[in-house]
């Protein structure tokens, strides 16, 4: 396919960010559609953040993804923030135009797209448990809440963050029953159809399983946002007990497809992006 004449730069901003698989996924998409662009890694220290964001346009950068730890701290520098990103309180995608910086959050929608399209799981009327109340959990809790699960229990070791999230969800989405769990046991996993791990626990070999294996059952889908390793201890134990399982690679793909569409206005080439991710792992 013929290339466009103007060259554009995209990338992921984070600290650290070197481990990111997003360059593989987006560069495959640009190649597939013949878009004259490249996707880089922008690893910036906190003291470099403001200058970097304010000069994006000057460096021919047309769009960026934002990852840990900047999803919240970039928000004050943006001209416009989408209603979804405002609701979630975090931005993972920035579209750069010559006169404005627009912020979006595609994490929650990406999670839901994967859940519904590829895993065939419809959360409406279901019971959901989430471990974690950070940025990703917040995006997932908001998007799930919009389609009305029956109850949603959430647990986090950070009790302040947990309480804030529960109060916020109760105020915004009255129809779901929200439970602020004081422990994993209080999540009521035995009654749940979906359990989401939205903590980084499971990435390291030395990390524990988080959930007592006795709590897994056949009517449960266990979704771990982690994709490296592809099977965490949590997913292994759940699978062995007959639960359905998924790692976070599908969410990574769908959130990336949504970012791509925001930047380019074109439908993202799902299969090339999926293949690029699979081979990178
Ligand atoms: P975050 O903002 O740091 O939130 C994680 C939360 O989990 C924090 O509140 C943390 O508390 C809490 N936590 C840590 N250990 C815990 C434990 N043992 N039990 C209960 N809560 C615990 O991180 P995030 O941005 O939400 O990301 C969470 C995970 O999702 C990361 O692994 C990230 O890579 C992954 N992720 C995946 C995708 C994808 O596309 N697949 C997208 C976004 C994020 P403390 O701060 O006190 O430790």
């Amino acid at each position: 396919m013929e290339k466009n004449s103007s060259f554009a730069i995209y990338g992921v901003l984070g600290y650290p960010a070197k481990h990111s698989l997003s360059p593989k996924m987006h560069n495959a998409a640009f190649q597939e559609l013949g878009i004259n662009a490249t996707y880089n890694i922008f690893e910036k220290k906190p003291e470099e953040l403001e200058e970097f964001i304010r000069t994006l346009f000057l460096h021919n950068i047309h769009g960026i993804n934002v990852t840990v730890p900047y999803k919240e701290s970039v928000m004050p520098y943006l001209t416009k923030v989408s209603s979804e990103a405002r609701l979630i309180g975090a931005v993972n995608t920035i579209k750069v135009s010559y006169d404005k910086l627009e912020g979006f959050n595609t994490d929650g929608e990406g999670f839901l797209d994967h859940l519904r399209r590829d895993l065939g799981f419809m959360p409406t009327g279901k019971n959901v448990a989430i471990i974690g109340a950070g940025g990703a959990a917040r995006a997932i809790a908001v998007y799930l809440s919009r389609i009305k699960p029956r109850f949603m229990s959430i647990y986090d070791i950070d009790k302040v963050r947990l309480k804030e999230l529960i109060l916020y969800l109760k105020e915004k989405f009255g129809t779901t029953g929200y439970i602020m769990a004081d422990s994993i046991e209080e999540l009521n996993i035995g009654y749940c159809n979906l359990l989401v791990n939205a903590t980084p626990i499971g990435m390291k070999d030395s990390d524990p399983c988080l959930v007592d294996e006795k709590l897994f059952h056949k009517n449960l889908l266990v979704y771990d946002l982690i994709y490296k390793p592809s099977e965490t201890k949590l997913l292994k134990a759940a699978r062995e007990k007959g639960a359905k399982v998924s790692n976070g690679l599908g969410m990574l793909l769908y959130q990336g497809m949504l970012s791509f569409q925001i930047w380019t206005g074109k439908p993202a080439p799902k299969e090339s992006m999926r293949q690029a991710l699979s081979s990178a792992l």
Side-chain angles (χ1 to χ4, degrees):
M1 197 175 276
E2 218 169 278
K3 297 229 171 193
N4 299 335
S5 54
S6 60
F7 179 72
I9 299 171
Y10 296 86
V12 55
L13 162 70
Y15 188 71
K18 285 203 178 77
H19 63 280
S20 175
L21 296 182
S22 293
K24 300 270 183 218
M25 171 168 64
H26 287 288
N27 283 324
F30 292 142
Q31 196 174 357
E32 171 75 22
L33 298 187
I35 296 174
N36 194 11
T38 184
Y39 187 106
N40 301 331
I41 288 176
F42 302 117
E43 196 167 273
K44 299 288 170 190
K45 295 191 178 113
E47 58 271 26
E48 297 169 322
L49 180 69
E50 180 171 355
E51 168 77 5
F52 177 71
I53 296 288
R54 290 199 191 282
T55 58
L56 285 171
F57 180 61
L58 296 176
H59 295 111
N60 195 26
I61 296 171
H62 290 220
I64 56 169
N65 284 127
V66 185
T67 186
V68 180
Y70 299 132
K71 287 185 181 181
E72 288 157 32
S73 49
V74 295
M75 292 178 78
Y77 306 120
L78 307 181
T79 332
K80 225 171 129 189
V81 174
S82 73
S83 53
E84 286 80 12
R86 233 180 296 123
L87 205 58
I88 292 160
V91 158
N92 79 334
T93 303
I94 299 176
K95 184 177 181 182
V96 184
S97 325
Y98 74 96
D99 60 347
K100 62 178 185 290
L101 297 174
E102 291 174 88
F104 303 85
N105 192 309
T106 64
D107 277 339
E109 193 176 344
F111 171 79
L112 212 52
D113 279 354
H114 183 223
L115 208 60
R116 294 195 289 196
R117 290 205 215 165
D118 288 1
L119 303 175
F121 185 93
M122 305 301 159
T124 306
K126 303 277 172 51
N127 298 331
V128 176
I130 300 176
I131 311 176
R138 202 175 165 89
I140 285 169
V142 163
Y143 267 81
L144 285 173
S145 294
R146 285 172 142 194
I147 51 168
K148 301 182 174 46
R150 188 163 158 266
F151 82 68
M152 184 184 292
S153 53
I154 310 180
Y155 167 70
D156 193 295
I157 42 170
D158 184 329
K159 302 295 175 209
V160 176
R161 195 176 288 166
L162 175 62
K163 192 173 173 189
E164 270 175 19
L165 177 57
I166 293 281
L167 290 176
Y168 178 81
L169 293 169
K170 277 185 177 168
E171 190 196 313
K172 293 275 176 197
F173 308 97
T175 49
T176 297
Y178 293 100
I179 299 167
M180 185 163 66
D182 253 339
S183 62
I184 297 277
E185 290 66 40
E186 284 187 21
L187 284 170
N188 289 315
I189 292 169
Y191 299 101
C192 285
N193 313 99
L194 173 66
L195 168 68
V196 181
N197 175 31
T199 78
I201 307 299
M203 293 174 89
K204 289 188 257 155
D205 282 351
S206 54
D207 282 343
C209 173
L210 277 182
V211 175
D212 184 336
E213 61 178 44
K214 289 201 275 299
L215 297 173
F216 297 126
H217 55 88
K218 291 191 168 54
N219 294 325
L220 183 69
L221 167 63
V222 180
Y223 196 113
D224 201 327
L225 262 57
I226 295 167
Y227 46 83
K228 215 172 170 184
S230 60
E231 188 176 63
T232 56
K233 283 178 191 157
L234 179 79
L235 292 187
K236 182 171 187 285
R239 179 176 54 76
E240 285 172 357
K241 287 286 171 186
K244 292 173 264 319
V245 294
S246 174
N247 67 24
L249 201 63
M251 174 177 169
L252 182 72
L253 171 67
Y254 278 101
Q255 64 78 33
M257 287 169 60
L258 291 162
S259 299
F260 185 90
Q261 283 158 21
I262 288 169
W263 296 325
T264 64
K266 296 179 197 297
K270 181 175 171 185
E271 268 325 301
S272 351
M273 292 172 84
R274 187 200 293 282
Q275 272 175 28
L277 282 179
S278 303
S279 44
L281 275 177

